[in-house]
Structure formats: structure tokens, C-alpha cells
Amino acid sequence: MQHLKLGDLFVIVFAAIGVIFLSLTIWTGAAAERAIIRSGGKIFQEVSLSTDQQISVPGHLGVSVISIVNHRARISTDPSPRQYCVRQGWLQQAGEIALCLPNQVSVELVGRDKKYDSL
């Protein structure tokens, strides 16, 4: 701290405030409104997140169950061997997606604005 001057501290503080501001405004997704459920690469069903429900989706290995509760969605059960999509947990922002590749089932949340992963 001996080599830092007052101007250096101002730069550090303003940079930290800038990073916090950007992470809260730009890098967060918009609220999701609907879930697009795919099976075998084709749209199986498109549902609103405003109604709590469970949807059974037939896949390549068997049936996956998708739960929608409190404007969130998740794959609650799946016959895939490693259960990666089940362990992913709740999706709640537009642009989030859960994929069960062995069973060929996916859930994607969409909203008014499209969220881009990269440009």
C-alpha cells in the first residue's frame, strides 16, 4: 500500500464499481416467459412458466419429466446414465438450457429479449 497514491485508489474503486454495474445490468439474462421442450430435435411442446406443472416427454431412452414451479423449469427425472441434465437444477433466466443428450430431450427458456452467449 506504500506505493499506491490517491489517484491509484480512485481508479481501483471506480473500476470495481464499473465491474459490479456491468455484471448486474448487462451480463444477467432477462426474465423467462416460456419453456420450449424438444424431443429428438423437434419441438415437443411450448409452455408458459406461469402455470406450475409436470410434463412427461418421450425420448430415445425413455421418458423424461420436466417440472415447472414458480416461473422456473428443470428436468426432474431422466433415464440417461449420468444424470447431468437432472443435476443442472433449476433454470430461471431467458437463454438458459438443459440438455439430456443420450435421451435427446432439451428444455430452453425464452423471454422477450434473446440472450446471446457470445458475439
Side-chain angles (χ1 to χ4, degrees):
M1 293 292 286
Q2 295 176 9
H3 301 294
L4 291 178
K5 296 183 179 173
L6 187 59
D8 297 333
L9 291 175
F10 281 128
V11 169
I12 292 170
V13 168
F14 285 121
I17 291 171
V19 168
I20 292 169
F21 174 76
L22 289 174
S23 66
L24 293 176
T25 58
I26 294 177
W27 294 319
T28 57
E33 298 173 353
R34 305 180 318 279
I36 298 174
I37 301 166
R38 290 184 174 84
S39 177
K42 297 178 182 167
I43 294 178
F44 175 76
Q45 193 171 0
E46 187 171 333
V47 296
S48 172
L49 294 176
S50 61
T51 305
D52 293 355
Q53 56 188 312
Q54 286 199 341
I55 301 162
S56 297
V57 183
H60 182 69
L61 299 176
V63 175
S64 295
V65 177
I66 296 164
S67 299
I68 298 175
V69 178
N70 294 331
H71 298 280
R72 303 178 304 165
R74 72 173 296 175
I75 299 176
S76 52
T77 62
D78 182 71
S80 300
R82 293 192 178 92
Q83 301 288 300
Y84 290 137
C85 57
V86 175
R87 286 190 240 161
Q88 186 168 350
W90 291 103
L91 309 173
Q92 53 191 357
Q93 293 181 344
E96 292 182 327
I97 189 167
L99 302 168
C100 292
L101 295 179
N103 201 28
Q104 299 177 4
V105 171
S106 69
V107 177
E108 177 185 9
L109 299 188
V110 293
R112 288 186 192 143
D113 298 325
K114 182 98 169 146
K115 178 182 174 184
Y116 294 100
D117 224 355
S118 62
L119 295 177

